[in-house]
Amino acid sequence: MARVANAEQQQMRRLNTVQGWLSRVEAMETEVGELMKDGSQEVDKLCPGGCCSKNCRSSFEFGKRVAKTLQLVNNLMGEGAFDAVAEKVPRPAVDQRPCEPTVGLESTFDKVWRCLGEEQVGIIGLYGMGGVGKTTLLTKINNKLLGAPNVFDVVIWVVVSKDLQLEKIQEKIGRRIGFFDESWKNGSLEDKTSDILRILGKKKFLLLLDDIWERVDLTKVGIPFPDPENKSKIVFTTHFLEICGALKAHEFLKVECLGPEDAWRLFRENLRRDVLDNHPDIPELARSVAQECAGLPLALITIGRAMACKKTPQEWHYAIQVLRRSASEFPGMGKEVYPLLKFSYDSLPDDTIRSYLLYCGLFPEDYRIRKSELIDCWIGEGFLDQYDRSGAYNEGYYIIGILLHACLLEEEGGDIGEEESGEHVVKMHDVIRDMVLWIACKIEKEKENFLVHAGLGLTEAPEIQNWRNVRRMSLMKNKIENLSETPTCPHLLSLFLSDNSLKMSTDDFFQSMPSLRVFNMSNNHLLWKLPSGISTLVSLEHLDLSSTAITHLPIELQKLVNLKCLNLEYMNNLNQFPRLVISAFSKLQVLRMFDCGGSKIERLKINVLFGGHQFLVEELMGMKHLMVLTITLKSWQALKELLISQELQRSTQSLFLRCFNDSKSLDIFCLAGLRNLNKLYVAGCKHLEDSQMTVQRSSMNQLAHGFHNLHTVNVGFCFKLKDLTCSFLLQASSPSLY
């Protein structure tokens, strides 16, 4: 029994033969007990000398029973010499794993469960950002199989983690399929591979691999490839979409953040029941706190636990304030949430890619970032090749793909305006953005040193003494009206002041920003004057003044000789743009002037906007490095000048023909040489009567090739126009036409 007890403490099971022997011994002990009891009665029957019995027959029968019992005892003792008393207990097909109740994962779970039943799906990849619930979903799949014991012969759970070691994966699999001893553990990788392959090759298995950060060579581990014949399956979780491809997953399933109601339910489950009933204002405040988590389960749970006992509205107001101002200061965020998300950041290929991601943190929460706008900023900062703009754009889109596949950016469908412009946009999840700012402003402050107060509703700029050592600053999407002080920012590289209510800034505002390379002042609809002091920004390479009310551009702009990207789109009040300014930008690669130019153009020959923008085209002809052009033309003569230049034809991407008053017809075929044209607007041409397509059928192939990038055509306010046949022909030549 001591041996049995010892074996059972080691999770072994006693042998059936041992159990049978012990049962017979127990029965024999009962028999002996009865004999001992009867024996005392037989002793009482003896004579005083103990030599003879008063009842010889009774004593004789009793003696026979004793002799028989002694023989049985001797036999039992002989049979009780066991070499082994217990055996290893066969493990169940599935080991239950601890798991809290889940919220909002039902849809994804159902998809995975259906895939497990499909013969052609052998490997399933679950990917998504950190803290979204991938491990929880995998655990739920594991535990669901407890109620379906005959689905798989064995279910194996392995946590791979960032420190990938094939030997550790083999050890966990080996233990699950019966290799316990140290000698196996200490064997070679190849020997263990053979053993695992031999065992799993005979089984219908489900392998659950959690937290994969790089490609795992499953053949080196010894895992048979799942197929319809063996009916085995592999399900894994990862942060990276690329891993799904690297592991040849048949299905890629993204684990999304929770919707508003599921997020609220999960948040509420982490509060004490009486908290929401303690004050009538708290439920609404609690919903606001939950919204700050943007549906990320880890953040909802962490913040919910931190607020579990907060029973006053003031505490909830303060929580909202902290989460919006500096979420890293909120209890649990800096210790539990951000470090987990930072694993994805640390796993990016190199520091350069990490810098691209940090740069995205300059944009406000929920801001829809146009990819081309982002890449232009990266080029301006010097992240990308500044000489091969086309190659830089390709690389920029490639990098955005890396960040999307790492679930650090999210791709969004455009709104109507973005669809018309053909732009694709990305955004950053609110909690990812908070983590990025935590890194840029605190963890790597000495290296990056960001100052970001975007989207906070500020009416005044932060105190200028805090600007001195900043390298990148964003005050986007506030209500700042004036910049009346002169900051000293010797290290400032990027400054975002867009989407404010700026009316003016002092002329010497820019005088102490010698390193500034990227400056964005767009969407300040009350800004009508650009300070002449901008000429001191001698390092500036990217200037965005789009959608401002500026009426005059100062001649001092000529001094921005390093400018490579200038955005003047949607400046509908711009009436004067001095000649020889653009030609001074000898390095200019991108000029955006779509829907640019007011209705009160100053009739001066020193103004490039005079003469239906013909002077503008003439000046552009001398630009040797121009690669991207969006332009507004107001005369047929200006259009003819543009079409003479092969360089301008090649660089034109968007064209707005507005207020053509010198022509009654427009031959669309003449635009076929604009091979990179993606957007064409025609508006306000009061004399235009027809837009013909004077092209023979034999030239249709040439037409289709000419307009293959065109996705948007917009015709409006041309009240005499009677024939739009050309629009249908354009649509036939460009399937993506909007």
Side-chain angles (χ1 to χ4, degrees):
M1 279 304 299
R3 292 172 63 196
V4 169
N6 183 54
E8 289 179 340
Q9 286 179 355
Q10 299 178 47
Q11 308 303 313
M12 298 177 75
R13 181 177 63 190
R14 65 180 69 179
L15 297 170
N16 290 334
T17 53
V18 172
Q19 180 58 46
W21 184 84
L22 288 172
S23 298
R24 284 184 285 141
V25 168
E26 186 177 347
M28 184 57 65
E29 286 180 327
T30 302
E31 176 66 21
V32 169
E34 291 176 356
L35 282 175
M36 297 296 289
K37 181 180 177 183
D38 293 344
S40 62
Q41 296 176 1
E42 291 298 326
V43 169
D44 291 340
K45 294 178 183 178
L46 294 176
C47 65
C51 296
C52 53
S53 173
K54 297 177 182 177
N55 187 340
C56 293
R57 183 176 180 83
S58 174
S59 295
F60 176 72
E61 292 295 334
F62 180 72
K64 286 175 62 177
R65 286 175 60 198
V66 170
K68 183 179 179 181
T69 301
L70 284 171
Q71 184 60 46
L72 291 174
V73 169
N74 285 329
N75 292 342
L76 278 174
M77 291 179 67
E79 295 169 4
F82 295 99
D83 293 329
V85 296
E87 63 184 353
K88 294 176 182 177
V89 180
R91 291 181 67 171
V94 187
D95 287 335
Q96 185 171 9
R97 299 189 63 81
C99 183
E100 294 184 3
T102 60
V103 173
L105 292 175
E106 293 78 15
S107 175
T108 310
F109 175 85
D110 290 342
K111 290 178 184 177
V112 179
W113 197 255
R114 282 197 300 271
C115 288
L116 289 176
E118 294 178 10
E119 281 192 359
Q120 301 304 318
V121 178
I123 303 179
I124 304 163
L126 305 176
Y127 72 98
M129 62 188 291
V132 79
K134 301 182 296 296
T135 300
T136 301
L137 182 60
L138 203 65
T139 303
K140 189 174 180 181
I141 294 165
N142 179 88
N143 291 350
K144 174 76 171 180
L145 290 164
L146 290 167
N150 297 320
V151 176
F152 294 100
D153 297 330
V154 60
V155 177
I156 305 168
W157 178 286
V158 178
V159 178
V160 179
S161 76
K162 199 168 183 182
D163 180 24
L164 174 62
Q165 295 183 36
L166 296 184
E167 291 84 353
K168 287 189 176 180
I169 298 175
Q170 286 183 323
E171 181 183 338
K172 293 172 183 175
I173 294 174
R175 252 195 243 165
R176 187 68 182 87
I177 60 178
F179 296 113
F180 290 96
D181 53 61
E182 285 294 317
S183 62
W184 187 87
K185 179 180 175 182
N186 295 327
S188 69
L189 180 71
E190 293 76 13
D191 289 343
K192 288 186 282 188
T193 298
S194 298
D195 290 338
I196 292 172
L197 183 60
R198 176 171 48 82
I199 299 297
L200 291 185
K202 301 174 183 177
K203 293 182 181 293
K204 180 184 176 185
F205 65 86
L206 171 62
L207 177 60
L208 304 175
L209 298 171
D210 189 33
D211 201 25
I212 295 180
W213 291 82
E214 58 184 285
R215 178 179 174 272
V216 180
D217 192 336
L218 297 177
T219 58
K220 287 186 178 180
V221 176
I223 308 299
F225 194 82
D227 58 38
E229 186 177 343
N230 60 35
K231 298 183 180 179
S232 295
K233 307 286 182 181
I234 297 174
V235 185
F236 63 85
T237 68
T238 180
H239 291 225
F240 303 99
L241 178 60
E242 274 92 351
I243 298 298
C244 295
L247 288 177
K248 299 181 179 179
H250 301 108
E251 286 287 341
F252 302 4
L253 299 177
K254 185 175 184 180
V255 184
E256 304 277 5
C257 289
L258 302 180
E261 289 308 312
D262 284 334
W264 169 238
R265 185 154 59 99
L266 179 60
F267 183 77
R268 198 174 60 229
E269 286 180 1
N270 286 276
L271 301 176
R272 281 185 54 178
R273 292 182 180 179
D274 58 340
V275 168
L276 296 177
D277 300 328
N278 205 61
H279 191 282
D281 292 345
I282 289 181
E284 185 176 349
L285 293 170
R287 278 189 177 270
S288 296
V289 171
Q291 287 170 4
E292 293 299 315
C293 302
L296 185 65
L298 178 62
L300 288 161
I301 292 169
T302 301
I303 294 175
R305 288 171 179 169
M307 300 300 295
C309 301
K310 308 299 183 186
K311 296 185 177 181
T312 66
Q314 291 80 6
E315 290 173 299
W316 285 89
H317 276 295
Y318 180 70
I320 295 170
Q321 179 184 334
V322 171
L323 287 169
R324 290 177 178 171
R325 183 193 66 217
S326 181
S328 62
E329 298 176 9
F330 196 90
M333 295 298 284
K335 291 184 178 180
E336 297 178 38
V337 179
Y338 295 158
L340 177 64
L341 299 176
K342 190 173 180 287
F343 277 129
S344 295
Y345 169 81
D346 292 334
S347 295
L348 291 172
D350 52 50
D351 285 341
T352 304
I353 304 293
R354 287 187 271 275
S355 294
Y356 291 121
L357 177 68
L358 295 182
Y359 201 91
C360 297
L362 293 171
F363 296 91
E365 190 174 284
D366 293 323
Y367 190 83
R368 300 161 68 85
I369 312 169
R370 294 188 177 187
K371 291 182 180 180
S372 60
E373 174 188 0
L374 181 59
I375 294 170
D376 280 338
C377 290
W378 285 346
I379 295 172
E381 268 260 0
F383 292 159
L384 296 169
D385 188 344
Q386 301 173 54
Y387 300 102
D388 178 9
R389 196 92 185 184
S390 177
Y393 275 120
N394 291 337
E395 185 180 358
Y397 278 100
Y398 175 77
I399 290 162
I400 289 173
I402 290 175
L403 300 178
L404 285 168
H405 296 166
C407 299
L408 294 169
L409 287 181
E410 302 172 357
E411 194 153 25
E412 292 252 321
D415 58 25
I416 293 298
E418 286 157 348
E419 287 177 5
E420 288 181 353
S421 67
E423 283 282 10
H424 298 288
V425 298
V426 294
K427 62 173 287 191
M428 185 177 280
H429 187 279
D430 295 351
V431 181
I432 293 289
R433 179 178 179 271
D434 292 338
M435 181 270 294
V436 162
L437 295 179
W438 173 67
I439 293 171
C441 301
K442 295 187 177 181
I443 302 302
E444 299 182 9
K445 183 175 182 179
E446 293 300 318
K447 177 183 175 184
E448 302 293 346
N449 211 338
F450 281 40
L451 178 62
V452 180
H453 293 294
L456 299 181
L458 302 180
T459 55
E460 295 182 356
E463 296 183 357
I464 60 172
Q465 58 262 35
N466 297 328
W467 298 28
R468 175 171 291 275
N469 296 315
V470 173
R471 292 170 57 83
R472 298 181 181 94
M473 180 186 301
S474 176
L475 302 178
M476 290 178 67
K477 210 174 179 182
N478 284 298
K479 300 176 182 178
I480 301 170
E481 295 186 2
N482 298 306
L483 297 170
S484 55
E485 298 184 86
T486 305
T488 300
C489 314
H491 309 295
L492 189 63
L493 297 173
S494 288
L495 176 61
F496 288 7
L497 297 176
S498 55
D499 295 277
N500 272 284
S501 303
L502 286 173
K503 297 178 180 178
M504 63 167 289
S505 64
T506 177
D507 276 345
D508 55 0
F509 176 78
F510 303 105
Q511 72 178 15
S512 297
M513 301 179 183
S515 303
L516 191 66
R517 298 171 65 116
V518 176
F519 180 40
N520 188 335
M521 217 173 186
S522 63
N523 291 303
N524 279 284
H525 302 293
L526 302 178
L527 184 66
W528 60 272
K529 181 181 179 183
L530 185 66
S532 59
I534 196 172
S535 62
T536 62
L537 301 178
V538 293
S539 299
L540 196 66
E541 298 193 10
H542 177 103
L543 176 61
D544 189 346
L545 302 174
S546 60
S547 298
T548 59
I550 293 172
T551 59
H552 294 64
L553 291 177
I555 190 69
E556 287 83 1
L557 278 179
Q558 285 179 319
K559 297 181 181 179
L560 304 182
V561 294
N562 288 306
L563 202 64
K564 293 186 176 71
C565 180
L566 176 62
N567 191 343
L568 306 176
E569 290 190 330
Y570 305 105
M571 292 179 65
N572 302 127
N573 294 317
L574 185 63
N575 293 318
Q576 182 174 340
F577 191 167
R579 295 189 75 173
L580 303 180
V581 170
I582 289 180
S583 57
F585 304 147
S586 60
K587 299 178 181 179
L588 195 68
Q589 298 174 349
V590 178
L591 177 62
R592 302 186 188 277
M593 294 185 67
F594 187 84
D595 199 6
C596 174
S599 57
K600 299 179 180 179
I601 301 297
E602 296 190 11
R603 304 178 68 83
L604 300 170
K605 290 189 177 182
I606 60 170
N607 183 6
V608 296
L609 301 180
F610 178 63
H613 296 193
Q614 183 179 346
F615 292 159
L616 171 63
V617 176
E618 291 175 358
E619 195 157 338
L620 290 177
M621 286 184 177
M623 306 302 293
K624 296 180 180 179
H625 303 291
L626 194 65
M627 297 183 65
V628 177
L629 175 65
T630 70
I631 192 169
T632 302
L633 300 178
K634 294 188 176 182
S635 71
W636 172 244
Q637 189 61 37
L639 178 60
K640 286 198 295 185
E641 292 280 349
L642 180 98
L643 297 176
I644 290 172
S645 169
Q646 292 292 325
E647 289 77 13
L648 293 183
Q649 285 194 65
R650 185 168 53 249
S651 59
T652 301
Q653 294 186 358
S654 299
L655 177 62
F656 195 160
L657 304 178
R658 190 170 72 185
C659 300
F660 267 34
N661 296 323
D662 56 352
S663 178
K664 293 184 178 181
S665 65
L666 174 64
D667 185 356
I668 296 296
F669 183 64
C670 71
L671 303 180
L674 305 178
R675 299 289 176 87
N676 294 309
L677 186 68
N678 54 53
K679 181 167 63 174
L680 173 64
Y681 276 32
V682 181
C685 301
K686 60 184 180 181
H687 298 305
L688 188 64
E689 296 180 1
D690 60 80
S691 54
Q692 298 175 350
M693 189 75 73
T694 57
V695 53
Q696 302 300 319
R697 183 175 298 275
S698 60
S699 300
M700 282 302 293
N701 289 337
Q702 182 181 351
L703 174 68
H705 183 67
F707 291 113
H708 73 281
N709 285 315
L710 187 65
H711 56 67
T712 305
V713 173
N714 191 317
V715 180
F717 300 97
C718 300
F719 300 114
K720 292 186 178 181
L721 189 63
K722 302 173 183 177
D723 183 5
L724 280 175
T725 305
C726 65
S727 297
F728 297 102
L729 291 172
L730 285 172
Q731 191 163 20
S733 67
S734 180
S736 60
L737 186 66
Y738 174 78

